Every structure is written in C-alpha cells, then in structure tokens.
Amino acid sequence: MMEYGYCSLFPVTIEQHVGNALMFSKVASLILFFRLDFRLGLLYLILCIVFIVTCRPPVFLGPEHTMYLSSKTMEEIVCCARSGTWLVEFFANWAPECQSFAPVFANLSLQYNCPGLHFGKIDVGRYAEMAQRFGISTSPLRSHLPALVLFRDGREIQRRPQVDRRGKVCPWTLSEENIIREFDLNEIYAESKQKGKMKQAGKEMEGKGSCGSEKNKDL
C-alpha cells in the first residue's frame, strides 16, 4: 500500500509566515519566563489563554450561496435520498486553512449553485459527531480540514483530500481549479441545469393541460 506523508493543502502566505513566527515567539517567551521566575511564567501563560479565548478568529463575511448545516439539517437535507447533489465543506473556525479557504468555497457557490447543485458547510468544531461519522479528524496534527465531500441523492460520491488507511492525508492542493476539475463541477452544473429546464417544461405542460381540461368542463 502506498504511504503518504504530510502535505500542505495551501501555498504558505506571508500572513501565515508571520502567524507562525508570532506563535514560536510566544512559546519561546513562555519558556524564558518560566526559567526566570515560575510566577512570571504562570502569569504569562494565563494572559495567553485569556487572549486566545476572548479574541475570536476572523470570519469570512463576503457574498456566498451556501447553507450552513447542523447535524439535524445534514441528516434531513443532504443525506436525504432525493436531495440532489451537494458539495459540503467540513470546517472549523479555529483552523487557519479553513479561514483561507472560505473565499474560495464562497466563490464556487456563487458560480455553480443551481436548483440541482447545492453548497453547504458544517462546523465540526460544534458538530463533532458528524466529523466522526464521516471519518474526518478534527485534530490540528492530522490536516484533515477543510474537507470537501460530494453527495448525490444522499450518498457520498467523492471527497478531497483523500485519507489513507493510516489516517494520513494524500497529497492534493485545495485550489479552485483542482476542485472544479476533480469534482467535475462544470459537468454536474450543466447536467443540473438541463434537468431543471426539463422539470420546468414538464410543469408548464401540466399547467397547460389543466387549463385545457378546465375549458372543456366550462364548455
């Protein structure tokens, strides 16, 4: 069996470099404070915890055509036998990769959302049971997030990134171009639009038929 090592799902940005540098400087400062005086180290640790708890991570507020799911709506809508096609992102607000990916997924939802193709997101930080059900690890050391899963009529068809039997992430770049290609979004979109037109035509024919029958009754 092929074994995959760790892979980065996103190109490292300047902001991520700065964030990593600040994180390591905090850890180094904590160690120095503890070596200098245990009380100072403890005080610095408490201040760091308070900062992490009180400062919320940045949230994407741009336009999107996405349904935010809970465990209940995931079961009732996405996992329904006649739900159509859903591309669902499993994410967590605390993960920097998910924050970086939010504009990409939002842009895809604006481009490809149609009556037969829907986009959804579920926060596995709040609904950990759904992550467990679909075999998605929420550990920061596993790099499973964000995870994209394509559902069709309640069945999982495809997911990225893939994970091997040992729980290691298979190398794959989570970019807009790769998502469109790997999930065949252009084909699914065209197919969904065609089905929508056929349904609309069928409704119009039914409407004309009902009008004709009413006229015959009047006569």
Side-chain angles (χ1 to χ4, degrees):
M1 180 184 65
M2 184 178 295
E3 181 178 342
Y4 297 93
Y6 172 80
C7 70
S8 175
L9 300 180
F10 296 94
V12 180
T13 63
I14 296 175
E15 291 81 2
Q16 289 172 330
H17 279 303
V18 173
N20 291 333
L22 291 174
M23 181 187 68
F24 286 121
S25 65
K26 288 178 182 178
V27 173
S29 299
L30 181 62
I31 294 172
L32 291 174
F33 275 125
F34 269 113
R35 292 189 64 180
L36 180 64
D37 189 327
F38 179 79
R39 291 171 296 180
L40 288 176
L42 186 61
L43 177 61
Y44 184 78
L45 178 61
I46 292 172
L47 290 175
C48 289
I49 294 173
V50 170
F51 177 79
I52 293 171
V53 171
T54 56
C55 294
R56 297 180 178 180
V59 178
F60 176 74
L61 299 176
E64 57 182 344
H65 206 303
T66 306
M67 176 180 288
Y68 283 79
L69 304 162
S70 64
S71 296
K72 183 178 180 181
T73 53
M74 184 81 177
E75 292 286 353
E76 292 179 350
I77 301 175
V78 179
C79 298
C80 175
R82 294 176 177 266
S83 60
T85 303
W86 281 82
L87 185 61
V88 178
E89 177 194 352
F90 292 75
F91 76 102
N93 283 324
W94 50 260
E97 294 84 1
C98 295
Q99 297 165 19
S100 302
F101 181 65
V104 177
F105 193 76
N107 189 44
L108 288 172
S109 71
L110 293 173
Q111 289 183 63
Y112 290 95
N113 187 82
C114 65
L117 175 59
H118 315 281
F119 290 77
K121 298 179 71 168
I122 183 164
D123 186 355
V124 293
R126 294 181 59 188
Y127 306 104
E129 66 277 8
M130 299 309 292
Q132 185 177 6
R133 173 179 171 180
F134 290 100
I136 297 171
S137 174
T138 57
S139 170
L141 303 177
R142 290 286 185 92
S143 301
H144 284 201
L145 300 175
L148 295 179
V149 182
L150 184 69
F151 295 90
R152 178 169 289 172
D153 296 330
R155 264 188 329 116
E156 178 182 335
I157 302 298
Q158 191 177 7
R159 73 166 64 190
R160 289 291 185 277
Q162 293 179 325
V163 180
D164 64 18
R165 294 180 181 178
R166 297 185 181 182
K168 293 184 179 180
V169 178
C170 302
W172 193 68
T173 302
L174 200 57
S175 64
E176 184 173 328
E177 294 78 11
N178 282 350
I179 294 168
I180 293 172
R181 182 178 63 254
E182 294 292 326
F183 288 98
D184 293 326
L185 288 186
N186 288 324
E187 183 178 345
I188 294 174
Y189 179 77
E191 181 183 340
S192 300
K193 292 284 285 185
Q194 184 64 27
K195 287 183 178 179
K197 290 180 180 179
M198 292 176 65
K199 286 183 179 180
Q200 184 65 29
K203 289 180 180 179
E204 291 178 357
M205 290 296 292
E206 289 179 1
K208 290 180 180 179
S210 61
C211 290
S213 61
E214 289 178 1
K215 288 181 180 180
N216 290 332
K217 287 181 181 179
D218 295 336
L219 292 174

